[in-house]
Amino acid sequence: MKKGYMQLPHNVHETMIFMGIVSIISVNIIAPLISMFETSFSWHNYLMTLSIIPFMWMAVIIIVLLAQKPATVLKKSIC
């Protein structure tokens, strides 16, 4: 198996970088695009989406933290 394949964050620093990347991609890019596709492309709709982003950001971080332990267990069972 290649080195680096299926490696999860091992310490707090790696976890923070991982959560930052996941939350930026999912909250700041995907969520506004989905809401704009559903309603329409306008600055008003984008600004309304920005008001919800802090709550979504917290939800993403909580889900990542909750999924980290089961993912580690599954990774150990595969390898």
Side-chain angles (χ1 to χ4, degrees):
M1 205 178 295
K2 290 183 185 178
K3 182 171 175 27
Y5 177 71
M6 288 188 60
Q7 288 187 349
L8 297 171
H10 295 292
N11 56 32
V12 175
H13 180 55
E14 290 179 2
T15 302
M16 296 302 285
I17 292 172
F18 176 73
M19 286 194 314
I21 292 170
V22 168
S23 64
I24 286 171
I25 291 171
S26 63
V27 173
N28 292 334
I29 296 172
I30 296 172
L33 281 177
I34 289 173
S35 66
M36 285 184 175
F37 284 140
E38 288 180 356
T39 56
S40 66
F41 289 98
S42 70
W43 283 106
H44 177 70
N45 289 339
Y46 181 70
L47 293 175
M48 286 177 37
T49 304
L50 287 179
S51 67
I52 299 170
I53 283 181
F55 302 109
M56 293 176 59
W57 210 317
M58 293 305 295
V60 166
I61 289 173
I62 290 169
I63 290 171
V64 167
L65 289 175
L66 290 175
Q68 188 174 13
K69 182 68 174 175
T72 305
V73 171
L74 286 174
K75 184 223 174 217
K76 287 180 182 177
S77 70
I78 291 173
C79 294

